[in-house]
Amino acid sequence: MRSRLLLTLCLLIAVTGITLFMVYGGEKKSEHTDVTLTGIAPGTVNHIRIIRAGQDEIHFEKQSGLWMMQQPYQLRASDLRINTMMNLLGAHSYAQYNVKDTQLSRFLLDHPQVSIEYNGARIDFGDVSPLGEQRYVLYNNVVHIINDALFQQLQAPVYFFLN
């Protein structure tokens, strides 16, 4: 009887020890911060410019709370398209590379096919990453890898952006 009591007591101590280790002494959780592409708040943007190689530039301006295309036409812009472009500002950046530590040509960012400017802050679009569905972009001398959700839309015909 005494040996059973001793075995039960040892098992209780072992379970308590393992529980305490898992709660307090296990692997330290890293403080992972969510890195976004820019720190620009969408509400502060009043001008958007899309620059596309071999195509006309498209300019948008916010007037009295409404987004208007200024170039090549002066018409009301699609709120859906503008909101999609604004989502880029807070896009999650999966990886970052300082321009000093890499060659822009490696990511096809030396001569970007598409760029977008928010109040003059420029984002250049490069190549698709090898993982697919992600793209290299250049912002503020840092190459980021983000989800590839906007590149194709920015190459669409001008009427795509109209209301």
Side-chain angles (χ1 to χ4, degrees):
M1 180 80 169
R2 188 166 197 246
S3 62
R4 278 192 172 183
L5 182 62
L6 210 73
L7 179 63
T8 304
L9 187 60
C10 286
L11 287 175
L12 180 63
I13 290 171
V15 168
T16 304
I18 291 171
T19 303
L20 288 173
F21 176 77
M22 296 298 285
V23 172
Y24 297 109
E27 196 174 302
K28 299 289 183 206
K29 295 179 183 173
S30 66
E31 295 294 324
H32 185 319
T33 58
D34 188 30
V35 177
T36 57
L37 180 59
T38 75
I40 300 171
T44 64
V45 176
N46 295 318
H47 300 279
I48 300 174
R49 183 170 78 140
I50 302 171
I51 305 151
R52 309 178 300 173
Q55 298 183 44
D56 290 335
E57 288 186 9
I58 304 173
H59 295 214
F60 301 96
E61 185 176 318
K62 193 173 189 178
Q63 299 174 349
S64 302
L66 298 175
W67 281 96
M68 302 294 292
M69 180 182 286
Q70 298 297 310
Q71 186 180 337
Y73 307 110
Q74 292 187 353
L75 297 167
R76 173 102 191 269
S78 166
D79 291 333
L80 176 64
R81 304 299 176 222
I82 295 293
N83 289 337
T84 301
M85 287 186 272
M86 291 296 188
N87 288 339
L88 178 64
L89 295 171
H92 176 71
S93 176
Y94 295 99
Q96 305 82 40
Y97 308 99
N98 194 312
V99 169
K100 296 176 192 171
D101 302 331
T102 190
Q103 293 178 320
L104 292 179
S105 60
R106 176 179 168 207
F107 305 113
L108 298 182
L109 285 164
D110 51 341
H111 301 290
Q113 292 295 308
V114 176
S115 299
I116 188 168
E117 290 182 359
Y118 300 90
N119 292 348
R122 184 175 172 135
I123 300 170
D124 296 325
F125 287 78
D127 199 9
V128 176
S129 79
L131 301 175
E133 296 187 21
Q134 294 178 335
R135 186 168 295 275
Y136 297 104
V137 297
L138 176 65
Y139 173 71
N140 205 19
N141 290 322
V142 177
V143 176
H144 296 264
I145 298 177
I146 63 169
N147 284 334
D148 188 21
L150 188 61
F151 179 78
Q152 296 299 329
Q153 292 181 34
L154 293 177
Q155 291 189 319
V158 173
Y159 60 82
F160 178 79
F161 300 96
L162 297 173
N163 189 17

